[in-house]
Coordinates of all heavy atoms in Angstrom, one line a residue:
M109 N 0.9 -1.2 0.0 CA 0.0 0.0 0.0 C 0.9 1.3 0.1 O 1.7 1.4 0.9 CB -0.9 0.0 1.3 CG -1.7 1.1 1.4 SD -3.1 0.8 2.5 CE -2.8 1.9 3.7
D110 N 0.8 2.1 -1.0 CA 1.6 3.2 -1.2 C 0.8 4.4 -0.5 O -0.4 4.5 -0.5 CB 1.8 3.5 -2.6 CG 2.7 2.5 -3.3 OD1 3.6 2.0 -2.7 OD2 2.5 2.3 -4.6
K111 N 1.7 5.3 0.0 CA 1.0 6.5 0.6 C 1.0 7.6 -0.4 O 1.9 7.6 -1.3 CB 2.0 7.0 1.7 CG 2.1 6.1 3.0 CD 2.6 6.8 4.1 CE 2.5 5.9 5.3 NZ 2.8 6.6 6.5
P112 N 0.0 8.4 -0.5 CA -0.1 9.4 -1.5 C 0.9 10.5 -1.4 O 1.4 10.8 -0.3 CB -1.5 10.1 -1.2 CG -1.9 9.6 0.2 CD -1.1 8.4 0.5
F113 N 1.3 11.1 -2.5 CA 2.3 12.1 -2.6 C 1.9 13.3 -1.8 O 0.6 13.8 -1.9 CB 2.6 12.4 -4.0 CG 3.4 13.6 -4.1 CD1 4.8 13.5 -4.0 CD2 2.9 14.9 -4.4 CE1 5.7 14.5 -4.2 CE2 3.8 16.0 -4.5 CZ 5.2 15.8 -4.4
K114 N 2.7 14.0 -1.1 CA 2.5 15.2 -0.3 C 3.4 16.3 -0.8 O 4.6 16.0 -0.9 CB 2.6 15.0 1.2 CG 1.7 14.0 1.8 CD 0.5 14.5 2.3 CE -0.3 13.5 3.1 NZ -1.6 13.2 2.8
T115 N 2.8 17.4 -1.0 CA 3.8 18.5 -1.5 C 4.6 19.0 -0.3 O 4.3 18.6 0.9 CB 2.9 19.8 -1.9 OG1 2.2 20.2 -0.8 CG2 2.0 19.3 -3.1
I116 N 5.6 19.7 -0.6 CA 6.4 20.3 0.5 C 5.6 21.1 1.6 O 5.8 20.9 2.8 CB 7.6 21.1 0.0 CG1 8.5 20.3 -0.9 CG2 8.4 21.9 1.1 CD1 9.3 19.2 -0.2
E117 N 4.7 21.8 1.0 CA 3.9 22.7 1.9 C 3.0 21.7 2.8 O 2.8 22.0 3.9 CB 2.9 23.7 1.1 CG 3.6 24.7 0.3 CD 4.5 24.3 -0.9 OE1 4.0 23.2 -1.5 OE2 5.4 25.0 -1.3
Q118 N 2.5 20.7 2.2 CA 1.6 19.7 3.0 C 2.5 19.0 4.0 O 2.1 18.9 5.2 CB 1.0 18.7 2.1 CG -0.1 19.2 1.2 CD -0.5 18.2 0.2 OE1 0.3 17.5 -0.4 NE2 -1.8 18.2 -0.1
Q119 N 3.8 18.7 3.7 CA 4.7 18.1 4.7 C 4.9 19.1 5.8 O 5.0 18.6 7.0 CB 5.9 17.7 4.0 CG 5.8 16.6 3.0 CD 7.0 16.3 2.2 OE1 8.1 16.5 2.6 NE2 6.8 15.8 0.9
M120 N 5.1 20.3 5.5 CA 5.5 21.3 6.5 C 4.2 21.5 7.4 O 4.4 21.6 8.6 CB 5.8 22.6 5.9 CG 7.2 22.5 5.2 SD 7.8 24.0 4.4 CE 8.1 25.1 5.7
A121 N 3.0 21.4 6.9 CA 1.8 21.5 7.7 C 1.7 20.3 8.6 O 1.3 20.4 9.7 CB 0.6 21.5 6.7
I122 N 2.1 19.1 8.1 CA 2.0 18.0 9.1 C 3.0 18.1 10.2 O 2.6 17.8 11.3 CB 2.4 16.7 8.2 CG1 1.3 16.3 7.2 CG2 2.6 15.5 9.2 CD1 1.7 15.3 6.2
L123 N 4.2 18.6 9.9 CA 5.2 18.9 11.0 C 4.6 19.9 11.9 O 4.8 19.7 13.2 CB 6.5 19.3 10.4 CG 7.2 18.2 9.6 CD1 8.4 18.8 8.8 CD2 7.6 17.0 10.4
R124 N 4.0 20.9 11.5 CA 3.4 22.0 12.3 C 2.3 21.4 13.2 O 2.2 21.7 14.4 CB 2.9 23.2 11.6 CG 4.0 24.1 11.1 CD 3.4 25.4 10.4 NE 4.4 25.9 9.6 CZ 4.5 25.8 8.3 NH1 3.5 25.2 7.5 NH2 5.4 26.5 7.6
S125 N 1.5 20.5 12.6 CA 0.4 19.9 13.4 C 0.9 19.0 14.5 O 0.2 18.7 15.5 CB -0.5 19.1 12.4 OG 0.1 17.9 12.0
R126 N 2.2 18.6 14.3 CA 2.9 17.8 15.4 C 3.7 18.6 16.3 O 4.6 18.1 17.0 CB 3.6 16.7 14.7 CG 2.7 15.7 14.0 CD 3.5 14.6 13.3 NE 2.6 13.7 12.6 CZ 2.9 12.9 11.7 NH1 4.1 12.8 11.3 NH2 2.0 12.1 11.0
N127 N 3.3 19.9 16.3 CA 4.0 20.8 17.3 C 5.5 21.1 17.0 O 6.3 21.4 17.9 CB 3.8 20.4 18.7 CG 2.3 20.5 19.1 OD1 1.6 21.4 18.7 ND2 1.9 19.6 19.8
M128 N 5.9 20.9 15.7 CA 7.3 21.2 15.4 C 7.3 22.7 14.9 O 6.4 23.1 14.2 CB 7.9 20.3 14.4 CG 8.0 18.9 14.9 SD 8.8 17.8 13.6 CE 10.4 18.3 13.8
D129 N 8.3 23.4 15.2 CA 8.5 24.8 14.7 C 9.1 24.7 13.3 O 10.3 24.4 13.3 CB 9.3 25.6 15.7 CG 9.5 27.0 15.4 OD1 8.7 27.5 14.6 OD2 10.4 27.7 15.9
V130 N 8.3 25.0 12.3 CA 8.9 24.8 10.9 C 8.8 26.2 10.3 O 7.7 26.8 10.0 CB 7.9 23.9 10.1 CG1 8.5 23.7 8.7 CG2 7.9 22.5 10.9
D131 N 9.9 26.8 9.9 CA 10.0 28.0 9.3 C 10.0 27.7 7.7 O 10.5 26.7 7.2 CB 11.4 28.7 9.6 CG 11.6 30.0 9.0 OD1 11.7 30.2 7.8 OD2 11.5 31.0 9.9
P132 N 9.3 28.6 6.9 CA 9.2 28.4 5.5 C 10.6 28.3 4.8 O 10.7 27.7 3.8 CB 8.6 29.7 5.0 CG 7.7 30.2 6.2 CD 8.5 29.8 7.4
A133 N 11.6 28.8 5.5 CA 12.9 28.7 4.9 C 13.5 27.3 5.0 O 14.4 26.9 4.3 CB 13.8 29.6 5.7
Y134 N 12.8 26.4 5.7 CA 13.2 25.0 5.9 C 12.8 24.2 4.7 O 13.0 22.9 4.7 CB 12.8 24.4 7.2 CG 13.3 25.0 8.3 CD1 12.8 25.0 9.6 CD2 14.6 25.7 8.4 CE1 13.2 25.6 10.8 CE2 15.1 26.3 9.5 CZ 14.4 26.3 10.6 OH 15.0 26.9 11.7
A135 N 12.0 24.7 3.8 CA 11.4 23.9 2.6 C 12.7 23.2 1.9 O 12.4 22.1 1.4 CB 10.6 24.8 1.7
G136 N 13.7 23.9 1.7 CA 14.9 23.4 1.1 C 15.4 22.1 1.7 O 15.9 21.3 1.1
V137 N 15.3 22.1 3.1 CA 15.8 20.9 3.8 C 14.9 19.7 3.5 O 15.4 18.6 3.3 CB 15.8 21.2 5.3 CG1 16.1 19.9 6.2 CG2 16.8 22.3 5.7
L138 N 13.6 19.9 3.5 CA 12.7 18.9 3.1 C 12.9 18.5 1.6 O 12.9 17.1 1.4 CB 11.2 19.3 3.3 CG 10.7 19.3 4.7 CD1 9.3 19.9 4.7 CD2 10.7 17.8 5.2
K139 N 13.3 19.3 0.7 CA 13.5 19.0 -0.6 C 14.7 18.2 -0.7 O 14.8 17.1 -1.5 CB 13.6 20.1 -1.5 CG 12.3 20.8 -1.8 CD 12.5 22.1 -2.6 CE 11.2 23.0 -2.7 NZ 11.4 24.2 -3.3
R140 N 15.8 18.5 0.0 CA 17.1 18.0 -0.1 C 17.1 16.6 0.7 O 17.7 15.6 0.2 CB 18.1 18.9 0.5 CG 19.6 18.4 0.4 CD 20.6 19.3 1.0 NE 20.4 19.4 2.4 CZ 20.3 20.5 3.0 NH1 20.2 21.7 2.5 NH2 20.1 20.5 4.5
E141 N 16.5 16.6 1.9 CA 16.7 15.4 2.8 C 15.5 14.4 2.7 O 15.7 13.3 2.9 CB 16.8 15.9 4.2 CG 18.0 16.8 4.5 CD 19.3 16.1 4.3 OE1 19.4 14.9 4.4 OE2 20.3 16.8 4.0
G142 N 14.4 14.9 2.4 CA 13.1 14.1 2.4 C 12.5 14.0 3.8 O 13.1 14.2 4.8
Y143 N 11.2 13.9 3.8 CA 10.3 13.9 4.9 C 10.8 13.0 5.9 O 11.0 13.3 7.2 CB 8.9 13.7 4.6 CG 8.0 13.7 5.8 CD1 7.5 14.9 6.3 CD2 7.6 12.6 6.5 CE1 6.7 15.0 7.4 CE2 6.8 12.6 7.6 CZ 6.3 13.8 8.0 OH 5.5 13.9 9.2
Y144 N 11.0 11.7 5.7 CA 11.2 10.8 6.7 C 12.7 10.9 7.2 O 13.0 10.6 8.4 CB 11.1 9.3 6.1 CG 9.7 9.0 6.0 CD1 9.0 9.0 4.7 CD2 8.9 8.7 7.1 CE1 7.7 8.8 4.7 CE2 7.5 8.6 7.0 CZ 6.9 8.6 5.7 OH 5.6 8.4 5.7
S145 N 13.7 11.5 6.5 CA 15.0 11.7 7.0 C 14.9 12.8 8.0 O 15.6 12.8 9.0 CB 15.9 12.1 5.9 OG 16.2 11.0 5.0
V146 N 14.0 13.8 7.8 CA 13.9 14.9 8.7 C 13.2 14.3 10.0 O 13.6 14.7 11.1 CB 12.9 16.0 8.1 CG1 12.6 17.1 9.2 CG2 13.7 16.6 7.0
V147 N 12.1 13.6 9.9 CA 11.4 13.1 11.0 C 12.2 12.1 11.9 O 12.2 12.1 13.0 CB 10.1 12.5 10.6 CG1 9.4 11.8 11.7 CG2 9.2 13.6 10.0
N148 N 12.8 11.2 11.2 CA 13.6 10.0 11.8 C 15.0 10.3 12.1 O 15.7 9.7 12.9 CB 13.4 8.8 11.0 CG 12.0 8.4 10.9 OD1 11.2 8.5 11.9 ND2 11.6 7.8 9.8
G149 N 15.6 11.3 11.3 CA 17.0 11.4 11.5 C 17.4 13.0 11.6 O 18.3 13.4 10.9
Y150 N 16.6 13.7 12.3 CA 16.7 15.2 12.3 C 17.9 15.8 12.9 O 18.2 17.0 12.7 CB 15.5 15.8 12.9 CG 15.3 15.4 14.4 CD1 15.9 16.2 15.4 CD2 14.5 14.3 14.8 CE1 15.7 15.8 16.7 CE2 14.4 14.0 16.1 CZ 15.0 14.7 17.0 OH 14.9 14.4 18.4
K151 N 18.7 15.1 13.6 CA 19.8 15.7 14.4 C 20.8 16.3 13.5 O 21.3 17.3 13.7 CB 20.5 14.7 15.3 CG 21.6 13.9 14.7 CD 22.3 13.1 15.7 CE 23.1 12.1 14.9 NZ 23.9 11.2 15.7
A152 N 21.1 15.7 12.3 CA 22.0 16.3 11.4 C 21.5 17.6 10.9 O 22.4 18.4 10.4 CB 22.3 15.3 10.2
L153 N 20.3 17.8 10.8 CA 19.8 19.1 10.3 C 20.1 20.3 11.2 O 20.1 21.4 10.7 CB 18.3 19.0 10.1 CG 17.8 17.9 9.1 CD1 16.3 17.8 9.1 CD2 18.4 18.2 7.7
F154 N 20.4 20.0 12.4 CA 20.7 21.1 13.4 C 22.2 21.4 13.5 O 22.7 22.3 14.2 CB 20.2 20.7 14.7 CG 18.6 20.7 14.7 CD1 18.0 19.5 14.6 CD2 17.9 22.0 14.7 CE1 16.6 19.5 14.5 CE2 16.5 21.8 14.7 CZ 15.8 20.7 14.6
L155 N 23.0 20.7 12.7 CA 24.5 20.9 12.7 C 24.7 22.1 11.8 O 24.0 22.4 10.9 CB 25.2 19.7 12.2 CG 25.0 18.4 13.0 CD1 25.7 17.2 12.3 CD2 25.6 18.5 14.4
E156 N 25.8 22.8 12.2 CA 26.2 24.0 11.3 C 27.0 23.5 10.1 O 28.0 22.7 10.2 CB 27.0 24.9 12.1 CG 26.3 25.6 13.3 CD 25.2 26.6 12.7 OE1 25.5 27.2 11.7 OE2 24.2 26.7 13.4
F157 N 26.6 23.9 8.9 CA 27.3 23.7 7.6 C 27.7 24.9 7.0 O 27.0 25.9 7.2 CB 26.4 22.8 6.8 CG 26.1 21.4 7.2 CD1 24.8 21.2 7.9 CD2 27.0 20.4 7.0 CE1 24.6 19.9 8.2 CE2 26.7 19.2 7.4 CZ 25.4 18.9 8.0
P158 N 28.9 24.9 6.4 CA 29.3 26.0 5.5 C 28.2 26.5 4.5 O 27.4 25.6 4.1 CB 30.5 25.6 4.8 CG 31.0 24.4 5.5 CD 29.7 23.7 6.1
E159 N 28.1 27.7 4.2 CA 27.1 28.3 3.3 C 27.1 27.6 1.9 O 26.0 27.2 1.6 CB 27.4 29.8 3.1 CG 26.2 30.5 2.4 CD 24.9 30.5 3.1 OE1 24.9 30.5 4.3 OE2 23.8 30.5 2.4
Y160 N 28.1 27.1 1.5 CA 28.2 26.5 0.2 C 27.5 25.1 0.2 O 27.2 24.5 -0.8 CB 29.6 26.3 -0.4 CG 30.5 25.4 0.4 CD1 30.5 24.0 0.1 CD2 31.3 25.9 1.4 CE1 31.4 23.3 0.7 CE2 32.1 25.1 2.1 CZ 32.2 23.7 1.8 OH 33.0 22.9 2.5
M161 N 27.3 24.5 1.4 CA 26.6 23.3 1.5 C 25.2 23.3 1.8 O 24.5 22.3 1.7 CB 27.3 22.4 2.7 CG 28.7 22.0 2.4 SD 29.4 21.1 3.8 CE 28.6 19.6 3.5
R162 N 24.7 24.5 1.9 CA 23.3 24.7 2.1 C 22.5 24.8 0.8 O 22.9 25.3 -0.2 CB 23.0 25.9 2.9 CG 23.6 25.8 4.4 CD 23.3 27.0 5.1 NE 24.1 26.9 6.4 CZ 24.4 27.8 7.2 NH1 23.9 29.0 6.9 NH2 25.1 27.7 8.3
A163 N 21.3 24.2 0.9 CA 20.4 24.3 -0.4 C 19.7 25.6 -0.5 O 19.4 26.2 0.4 CB 19.4 23.1 -0.4

């Protein structure tokens, strides 16, 4: 059973509904990392990266 596709905006709304503080600027993180990587492996997203590594 496949899950229906969710847009980045819909994914951000789901995260907000789960009481996560989601800034619109984080859309690039979801595009680059994917929803499940953010939800299940979010610690790397809070590390500091040089500007050239950011999406």
Side-chain angles (χ1 to χ4, degrees):
M109 176 162 121
D110 293 328
K111 293 191 175 198
F113 174 79
K114 303 269 192 234
T115 66
I116 296 298
E117 292 78 21
Q118 290 171 322
Q119 293 173 28
M120 291 174 71
I122 292 168
L123 294 172
R124 285 188 196 102
S125 75
R126 295 178 178 165
N127 295 321
M128 292 186 75
D129 184 19
V130 181
D131 187 288
Y134 298 155
V137 173
L138 282 170
K139 289 178 187 176
R140 183 181 69 236
E141 302 293 334
Y143 179 83
Y144 288 103
S145 294
V146 171
V147 172
N148 296 326
Y150 62 89
K151 91 174 165 181
L153 300 174
F154 294 98
L155 300 174
E156 292 291 324
F157 291 100
E159 188 64 33
Y160 68 88
M161 293 182 71
R162 298 180 187 164

